């Protein structure tokens, strides 16, 4: 596919490779792109249109919702629920699965999404993003339930994110590599700007919230300690550190220049009775698919992310992702 081609064209060409394709998948990805363009517009206008600040509500995870969390969630539902491409939706911001109305024409896909990831950054004008994961609905089921979403990441048919940064970019995989598209605002289209992105296998950059250091497990502590010792330590090289607190921006950096990102399980998280900070179905699995398709790796530290059998749509997991050799080293320390 040539650089500069539109996302729409790219999706149509991708679908052509699947025998018996009906155009439904093309329609679905198009709906997602429309939702992301709308969110991008609001994120960009910010205070001018009064969308910053908190909504005064909490989500199912007990987190304060931002106005834009709620608005972005509504935009996604509005863009996806009426076009006959999806069977049901699930979102980080909704307690339960979103069922389509009885009259709605149902498609064959399930979409899971985090409408505005890293939303604590929104009021300080730092990059945020939307993450999505697409599964096939079980055949013959008219109104999918929660259990029908509980598939391992290896069953995703597509995953992507849209980062709202200095420019808005859509990153997409359908299992045939990872591609990046940049939104041309004048033109109103995402255009292919990086095809078949590859994450360097080695890196000298890590990302972790170091304020949690005293709560970490020994393998994580050992890995970061060794990085911090730099040239004089066992790694024999200096490392750089980044923490944006916006997973989408973090993954985007790693796809661009390599690196390792970690949000490990720690004693503070355990004390809350949770298995991690990030969500398996809305964050970890789609990012794992994107990163693996770019030659990187994603694990919980103990297992490959995409082989986990989910127990709940809102399940949380530890995440280690990025440059293959570093992720492998962290896994080795866990073993
Ligand atoms: P969110 O979905 O509520 O925005 O939370 C997820 C975000 C990730 O983007 C980011 O990596 C992490 O939370 C930052 O957490 P912390 O504030 O603990 O550093
Ligand atoms: Mg999130």
């Amino acid at each position: 596919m040539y650089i500069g081609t539109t996302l729409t064209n790219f999706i149509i060409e991708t679908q052509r490779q699947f025998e018996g394709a009906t155009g439904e998948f093309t329609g679905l990805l198009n709906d997602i792109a429309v939702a992301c363009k709308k969110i991008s517009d609001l994120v960009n206008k910010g205070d001018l249109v009064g969308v910053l600040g908190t909504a005064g509500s909490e989500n199912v995870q007990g987190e304060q919702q931002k106005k834009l969390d709620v608005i972005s969630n509504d935009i996604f539902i509005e863009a996806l629920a009426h076009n006959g491409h999806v069977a049901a939706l699930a979102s980080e911001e909704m307690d339960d699965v979103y069922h389509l109305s009885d009259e709605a024409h149902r498609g064959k896909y399930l979409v899971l999404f985090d409408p505005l990831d890293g939303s604590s950054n929104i009021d300080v004008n730092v990059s945020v993003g939307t993450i999505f994961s697409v599964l096939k609905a079980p055949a013959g089921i008219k109104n999918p339930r929660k259990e029908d979403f509980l598939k391992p990441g290896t069953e995703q048919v597509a995953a992507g994110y849209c980062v709202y940064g200095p420019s808005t970019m859509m990153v997409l995989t359908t299992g045939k590599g990872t591609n990046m598209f940049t939104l041309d605002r004048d033109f109103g289209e995402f255009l292919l700007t990086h095809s078949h992105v590859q994450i360097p296998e080695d890196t000298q950059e890590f990302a972790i919230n170091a304020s949690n250091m005293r709560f970490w497990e020994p393998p994580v502590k050992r890995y970061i300690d060794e990085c911090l010792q730099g040239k004089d330590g066992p790694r024999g090289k200096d490392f750089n550190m980044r923490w944006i607190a916006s997973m989408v921006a973090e993954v985007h950096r790693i796809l661009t220049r390599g690196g390792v990102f970690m949000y490990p399980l720690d004693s503070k998280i355990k004390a809350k009775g949770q298995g991690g900070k990030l969500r398996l179905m809305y964050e970890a699995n789609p990012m794992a698919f994107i990163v693996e398709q770019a030659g990187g790796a994603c694990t919980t530290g103990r297992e490959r992310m995409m082989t986990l059998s989910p127990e709940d749509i809102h399940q949380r997991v530890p995440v280690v992702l990025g440059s293959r050799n570093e992720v492998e080293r962290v896994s080795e320390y866990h073993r």
Side-chain angles (χ1 to χ4, degrees), residues 92-93 114 116-119 131 247 278-279 282-283:
E92 184 180 305
E93 300 300 335
D114 179 356
L116 204 66
D117 181 62
S119 55
I131 313 172
M247 189 192 198
L278 300 173
R279 272 94 352 171
Y282 315 110
E283 296 166 330

Side-chain angles (χ1 to χ4, degrees), residues 59 61 63-64 69 92-93 114 116-121 131 208-209 211-212 243-250 261-263 268 277-279 283 316:
N59 65 10
Q61 337 258 346
E63 297 158 341
Q64 271 286 326
D69 280 324
E92 184 180 305
E93 300 300 335
D114 179 356
L116 204 66
D117 181 62
S119 55
S120 70
N121 283 312
I131 313 172
I208 192 163
N209 184 339
S211 70
N212 295 321
W243 187 251
I244 310 175
S246 182
M247 189 192 198
V248 173
E250 228 85 67
F261 166 90
M262 293 198 256
Y263 213 119
K268 194 169 90 183
K277 153 96 186 187
L278 300 173
R279 272 94 352 171
E283 296 166 330
R316 295 176 187 251

Side-chain angles (χ1 to χ4, degrees), residues 40-253:
S40 172
D41 183 50
L42 292 179
V43 167
N44 195 251
K45 292 194 171 118
D47 257 341
L48 296 177
V49 287
V51 292
L52 303 187
T54 50
S57 51
E58 277 188 359
N59 65 10
V60 60
Q61 337 258 346
E63 297 158 341
Q64 271 286 326
Q65 285 179 308
K66 298 279 181 185
K67 274 189 212 163
L68 261 175
D69 280 324
V70 179
I71 297 170
S72 306
N73 195 61
D74 291 347
I75 289 177
F76 240 75
I77 293 173
E78 186 58 32
L80 267 69
H82 310 293
N83 294 344
H85 307 136
V86 298
L89 301 165
S91 158
E92 184 180 305
E93 300 300 335
M94 297 187 290
D95 300 11
D96 210 344
V97 161
Y98 182 90
H99 299 283
L100 307 195
S101 70
D102 285 342
E103 305 80 57
H105 174 58
R106 298 214 167 81
K108 55 174 179 268
Y109 296 102
L110 301 175
V111 180
L112 298 113
F113 57 96
D114 179 356
L116 204 66
D117 181 62
S119 55
S120 70
N121 283 312
I122 190 73
D123 295 341
V124 292
N125 204 10
V126 168
S127 299
V128 289
T130 298
I131 313 172
F132 58 90
S133 162
V134 182
L135 295 166
K136 275 232 175 85
I141 291 190
K142 219 176 150 244
N143 207 358
R145 301 151 307 153
K146 229 182 222 181
E147 300 75 64
D148 298 314
F149 283 78
L150 302 180
K151 298 277 158 47
T154 47
E155 298 212 9
Q156 293 171 103
V157 292
Y161 67 78
C162 190
V163 57
Y164 312 111
S167 47
T168 289
M169 291 181 78
M170 170 84 81
V171 175
L172 178 69
T173 185
T174 56
K176 292 184 183 335
T178 294
N179 294 287
M180 292 183 175
F181 303 81
T182 306
L183 180 64
D184 184 324
R185 283 187 196 281
D186 299 331
F187 202 38
E189 274 276 16
F190 284 102
L191 305 178
L192 181 66
T193 41
H194 302 76
S195 85
H196 291 281
V197 179
Q198 282 295 315
I199 300 175
E201 286 186 355
D202 293 297
T203 182
Q204 284 176 239
E205 195 162 69
F206 66 88
I208 192 163
N209 184 339
S211 70
N212 295 321
M213 191 178 286
R214 66 190 188 284
F215 306 114
W216 293 342
E217 293 181 324
V220 174
K221 195 150 190 328
R222 174 181 169 195
Y223 176 77
I224 298 297
D225 273 346
E226 291 183 359
C227 291
L228 292 174
Q229 288 173 55
K231 270 205 184 85
D232 307 327
R235 300 301 307 273
K237 56 181 186 181
D238 288 336
F239 278 77
N240 188 25
M241 193 194 84
R242 286 286 182 276
W243 187 251
I244 310 175
S246 182
M247 189 192 198
V248 173
E250 228 85 67
V251 170
H252 199 73
R253 184 187 60 251

